[in-house]
Amino acid sequence: MESLDAEGWARLFNDCQVSACHLEMRDHYAVAEERADVEKWRAGEWGPEQDAASKAGWLDLMRATSARGVRIRRTRIISEPVTEYIQFEHEGTPQNIAAGEEVRWLPRSRASGLSLPGNDCWIFDSATVLFNHFTGDGGWVGNELSTDPQVAELCTKAFESAWKLGIPHSEYTLPHSAS
């Protein structure tokens, strides 16, 4: 297993010609580079400006990719009521959309009939799949790249099925727990 650096991620998006699709299926991510951001968000010291500044490199890459005519879509399969992390992610999504991503939310209860890959993944031009591996508690483990046509087909079909059922960000309101 490898871990792509910023240059590796940029190369995947720069080589992409038609579409980049991200399938997210976890309710909690605990990646090191977001810990301080989540803490500031919890403390009420976080807003759109801080979010955009924190992920400026990513947003720049999305703007450049989108400007070349590549369609960037992201489907997040989530449990309801949502976790605190999903609340954080939902609040930051407008910055992703402004940079050229399309984002949909799919409540897990509506995804039961879908065949899904075992891990979150990015699918580039329906031909290259980058799996993202995490620990059970959401920590980052690494990436796994596949150009196997059967894997790409499975992941592309899974993404398209989830996308079709997903709710556009502008129409999705987070349900909160009764606690």
Side-chain angles (χ1 to χ4, degrees):
M1 194 165 321
E2 59 185 277
S3 284
L4 289 182
D5 58 11
E7 187 176 298
W9 280 98
R11 189 171 35 261
L12 284 169
F13 282 94
N14 291 335
D15 291 347
C16 189
Q17 300 298 310
V18 178
S19 65
C21 303
H22 191 193
L23 185 57
E24 294 181 28
M25 300 180 286
R26 297 184 58 89
D27 289 318
H28 177 76
Y29 296 88
V31 294
E33 53 271 4
E34 283 185 337
R35 281 192 193 119
D37 297 349
V38 172
E39 289 302 319
K40 289 177 185 173
W41 174 81
R42 273 188 196 121
E45 301 167 359
W46 194 255
E49 299 82 20
Q50 293 85 355
D51 188 73
S54 176
K55 55 188 180 186
W58 178 259
L59 297 176
D60 288 345
L61 180 60
M62 294 303 97
R63 278 189 280 277
T65 302
S66 178
R68 291 188 298 103
V70 174
R71 186 174 185 199
I72 307 165
R73 295 181 293 159
R74 182 187 299 258
T75 300
R76 292 174 169 147
I77 300 175
I78 56 168
S79 299
E80 292 179 322
V82 301
T83 63
E84 180 185 58
Y85 182 85
I86 294 300
Q87 292 174 38
F88 166 77
E89 209 172 39
H90 189 268
E91 285 185 28
T93 297
Q95 285 69 252
N96 294 69
I97 292 170
E101 290 187 37
E102 298 171 60
V103 179
R104 291 190 179 181
W105 301 87
L106 178 57
R108 196 171 308 282
S109 61
R110 295 177 59 183
S112 297
L114 299 180
S115 293
L116 299 168
N119 294 289
D120 288 13
C121 61
W122 275 97
I123 307 135
F124 298 93
D125 293 334
S126 299
T128 301
V129 179
L130 180 71
F131 291 103
N132 296 313
H133 295 285
F134 299 91
T135 63
D137 62 1
W140 178 249
V141 175
N143 305 106
E144 176 186 355
L145 196 62
S146 176
T147 55
D148 180 319
Q150 290 179 320
V151 171
E153 181 181 16
L154 172 115
C155 293
T156 298
K157 285 181 178 179
F159 178 85
E160 293 301 338
S161 295
W163 180 259
K164 189 184 301 184
L165 294 174
I167 302 164
H169 179 76
S170 63
E171 299 172 22
Y172 184 70
T173 303
L174 291 179
H176 295 286
S177 66
S179 57

